[in-house]
CSV table of all heavy atoms in Angstrom, one decimal:
chain,number,residue,atom,x,y,z
U,32,LYS,N,-228.5,29.9,-169.3
U,32,LYS,CA,-229.9,30.0,-169.4
U,32,LYS,C,-230.5,29.3,-168.2
U,32,LYS,O,-231.4,29.7,-167.5
U,32,LYS,CB,-230.4,29.3,-170.7
U,32,LYS,CG,-230.5,30.4,-171.7
U,32,LYS,CD,-231.3,29.7,-173.0
U,32,LYS,CE,-230.9,30.4,-174.2
U,32,LYS,NZ,-231.2,29.6,-175.5
U,204,MET,N,-190.5,18.8,-58.8
U,204,MET,CA,-191.5,19.0,-57.7
U,204,MET,C,-191.3,17.8,-56.8
U,204,MET,O,-191.4,18.1,-55.5
U,204,MET,CB,-192.8,19.0,-58.5
U,204,MET,CG,-193.3,20.1,-59.0
U,204,MET,SD,-193.3,21.6,-57.8
U,204,MET,CE,-195.0,21.3,-57.1
U,226,HIS,N,-177.5,19.4,-47.2
U,226,HIS,CA,-177.7,18.8,-48.5
U,226,HIS,C,-179.1,18.9,-49.1
U,226,HIS,O,-179.3,19.0,-50.2
U,226,HIS,CB,-177.2,17.3,-48.2
U,226,HIS,CG,-177.2,16.5,-49.4
U,226,HIS,ND1,-176.5,16.7,-50.7
U,226,HIS,CD2,-177.9,15.2,-49.8
U,226,HIS,CE1,-176.7,15.9,-51.5
U,226,HIS,NE2,-177.6,14.9,-51.1
U,238,LEU,N,-187.0,23.7,-62.1
U,238,LEU,CA,-188.4,23.9,-62.3
U,238,LEU,C,-188.8,25.3,-62.9
U,238,LEU,O,-189.6,25.5,-63.9
U,238,LEU,CB,-189.1,23.9,-60.9
U,238,LEU,CG,-190.7,23.9,-60.9
U,238,LEU,CD1,-191.2,22.8,-61.9
U,238,LEU,CD2,-191.3,23.7,-59.6
U,244,ASP,N,-189.4,28.4,-70.0
U,244,ASP,CA,-189.5,27.7,-71.4
U,244,ASP,C,-191.0,27.6,-71.9
U,244,ASP,O,-191.3,28.1,-73.0
U,244,ASP,CB,-188.9,26.3,-71.4
U,244,ASP,CG,-187.5,26.3,-71.5
U,244,ASP,OD1,-187.0,27.4,-71.8
U,244,ASP,OD2,-186.9,25.2,-71.6
U,245,ILE,N,-191.8,27.2,-70.9
U,245,ILE,CA,-193.2,27.0,-71.3
U,245,ILE,C,-193.8,28.5,-71.7
U,245,ILE,O,-194.5,28.7,-72.6
U,245,ILE,CB,-194.0,26.4,-70.2
U,245,ILE,CG1,-193.5,25.1,-70.1
U,245,ILE,CG2,-195.6,26.4,-70.5
U,245,ILE,CD1,-194.2,24.2,-68.8
U,249,ALA,N,-195.4,29.8,-75.1
U,249,ALA,CA,-196.8,30.3,-75.2
U,249,ALA,C,-196.7,31.6,-76.0
U,249,ALA,O,-197.6,32.1,-76.6
U,249,ALA,CB,-197.3,30.3,-73.8
U,341,PHE,N,-171.2,30.2,-83.2
U,341,PHE,CA,-171.2,28.8,-83.2
U,341,PHE,C,-171.0,28.3,-81.7
U,341,PHE,O,-170.5,29.0,-80.9
U,341,PHE,CB,-169.9,28.3,-84.0
U,341,PHE,CG,-168.6,28.8,-83.6
U,341,PHE,CD1,-167.9,28.0,-82.6
U,341,PHE,CD2,-168.1,29.9,-84.1
U,341,PHE,CE1,-166.7,28.5,-82.2
U,341,PHE,CE2,-166.8,30.5,-83.7
U,341,PHE,CZ,-166.1,29.7,-82.7
U,408,ILE,N,-177.1,36.4,-86.9
U,408,ILE,CA,-177.9,37.5,-86.7
U,408,ILE,C,-177.4,38.6,-87.6
U,408,ILE,O,-176.2,38.7,-88.0
U,408,ILE,CB,-178.0,38.0,-85.2
U,408,ILE,CG1,-176.6,38.4,-84.7
U,408,ILE,CG2,-178.6,36.9,-84.3
U,408,ILE,CD1,-176.7,39.2,-83.3
U,455,SER,N,-168.4,55.3,-58.7
U,455,SER,CA,-167.6,55.4,-57.4
U,455,SER,C,-166.1,55.3,-57.7
U,455,SER,O,-165.7,54.9,-58.6
U,455,SER,CB,-168.0,54.2,-56.5
U,455,SER,OG,-167.5,53.0,-57.2
U,492,MET,N,-193.2,64.0,-63.2
U,492,MET,CA,-192.7,64.7,-64.3
U,492,MET,C,-191.6,64.0,-64.9
U,492,MET,O,-190.7,63.5,-64.4
U,492,MET,CB,-192.1,66.1,-63.8
U,492,MET,CG,-191.7,67.0,-65.0
U,492,MET,SD,-190.8,68.4,-64.5
U,492,MET,CE,-192.1,69.5,-63.9
U,536,LYS,N,-180.1,52.4,-71.8
U,536,LYS,CA,-180.0,51.3,-70.8
U,536,LYS,C,-180.0,50.0,-71.6
U,536,LYS,O,-180.7,49.9,-72.5
U,536,LYS,CB,-181.0,51.3,-69.8
U,536,LYS,CG,-181.0,52.5,-68.9
U,536,LYS,CD,-182.2,52.6,-67.9
U,536,LYS,CE,-182.2,53.7,-67.1
U,536,LYS,NZ,-183.5,54.0,-66.4
Side-chain angles (χ1 to χ4, degrees):
Chain U
K32 270 187 205 158
M204 277 301 277
H226 183 57
L238 188 58
D244 273 0
I245 295 170
F341 62 87
I408 59 169
S455 66
M492 181 190 285
K536 292 174 183 174

